Amino acid sequence: MRVAVVFESMFGNTEQVAEAICEGLRDQGAEVTRCRVADAGDHELAQDLLVLGAPTHTFTLSRPATRAEAVIKGAGAADAATGVREWLEALEPRSASSADAAEAPGAVAVFDTRATKVRHLPGSAARRTARLLRQRGLDVGEVTSFYVEDVRGPLAEGELSRARSWGRHLAVTTR
Ligand SMILES: Cc1cc2nc3c(=O)[nH]c(=O)nc-3n(C[C@H](O)[C@H](O)[C@H](O)COP(=O)(O)O)c2cc1C
C-alpha cells in the first residue's frame, strides 16, 4: 500500500505526530512518503491512502493571520507561507470521471493537533479539513486529534505512541 502523509506545522508538534504516524504505517509494511503541505502536489493525491494533518488555530485551520501570530510567538517564518486550507482550496472538485479517479486517493484520514487546555471546545482543524475534502468530492474516513500542552508544545504524554498506533491501525484498516 502506498501512503502520503502531508502535514502543516509551525512549532514542530504536528510534524512529530506525522513522523510517528509514518512509523506506524511502515511497521505494517506500507510504503510511505511524508511532506510539508507547501511541497504537496497531485502526486500526494494519487495514493492508496492520504493522511492529512494540521495544527488547530482559532478553532479551525490556520489562516495567514494566525500563522503570523504563531511567528510572533516564536515559530519559524518559513512555515507561515501556506497551509492545509490553501492547499485544499486550490484543489479542483473531483468528479467520478476516470481522469479524476486516477488522481484521487483510495482513502483519506485526517488529524490535527490541539491544546489540552481547550479540549472541551468543539472546533478543530481536522473537522474543517474533513469538510473541505468532502466539498471537493473526496470521501473522508477517520478524523482524530492529538494534544499539545501549550501553543508551542510539547506534545502531551503518550501522544507520540498513540500516533504510531494510529498509523498501524490505518495501515491495517485501509488494506
Ligand atoms: C494563533 C494560534 C491560535 C490557536 N488556536 C487554538 C485553538 O483554537 N484551539 C486549540 O486547541 N489550540 C490552538 N492553538 C494551539 C495550536 O493548536 C498549537 O500551537 C499547535 O497544535 C502546535 O502544532 P505545531 O507545533 O505543529 O504548530 C493555537 C495556536 C496559535 C499559534
Side-chain angles (χ1 to χ4, degrees):
M1 181 174 65
R2 290 177 315 133
V3 187
V5 177
V6 175
F7 67 93
E8 170 188 334
S9 186
M10 296 294 302
F11 297 99
N13 298 279
T14 315
E15 181 172 9
Q16 284 184 61
V17 170
E19 181 52 32
I21 292 167
C22 290
E23 288 167 10
L25 286 158
R26 289 190 188 111
D27 286 349
Q28 293 296 325
E31 191 186 312
V32 186
T33 56
R34 182 181 70 113
C35 79
R36 290 186 176 278
V37 72
D39 302 321
D42 283 353
H43 171 76
E44 279 65 37
L45 291 172
Q47 305 291 324
D48 300 312
L49 170 66
L50 168 67
V51 182
L52 189 51
T56 299
H57 281 186
T58 54
F59 313 116
T60 182
L61 278 170
S62 74
R63 294 178 185 278
T66 65
R67 293 195 296 272
E69 207 178 317
V71 172
I72 290 166
K73 291 177 194 290
D79 293 318
T82 194
V84 165
R85 180 192 295 274
E86 286 84 350
W87 188 53
L88 293 179
E89 286 179 348
L91 289 184
E92 293 291 325
R94 309 274 128 179
S95 70
S97 79
S98 53
D100 276 358
E103 283 182 15
V108 185
V110 173
F111 72 96
D112 63 26
T113 52
R114 310 168 61 175
T116 46
K117 284 179 192 162
V118 288
R119 68 185 300 161
H120 59 285
L121 296 173
S124 89
R127 283 191 191 193
R128 183 70 190 147
T129 302
R131 202 173 321 136
L132 287 171
L133 285 160
R134 289 185 185 117
Q135 283 169 359
R136 278 149 188 81
L138 293 167
D139 286 335
V140 180
E142 302 216 11
V143 179
T144 196
S145 294
F146 297 92
Y147 289 88
V148 294
E149 296 287 2
D150 212 332
V151 168
R152 285 190 276 186
L155 284 158
E157 202 180 334
E159 291 300 76
L160 281 180
S161 131
R162 201 162 68 81
R164 192 168 181 149
S165 300
W166 193 58
R168 284 194 292 264
H169 162 79
L170 289 177
V172 170
T173 53
T174 308
R175 272 178 193 145

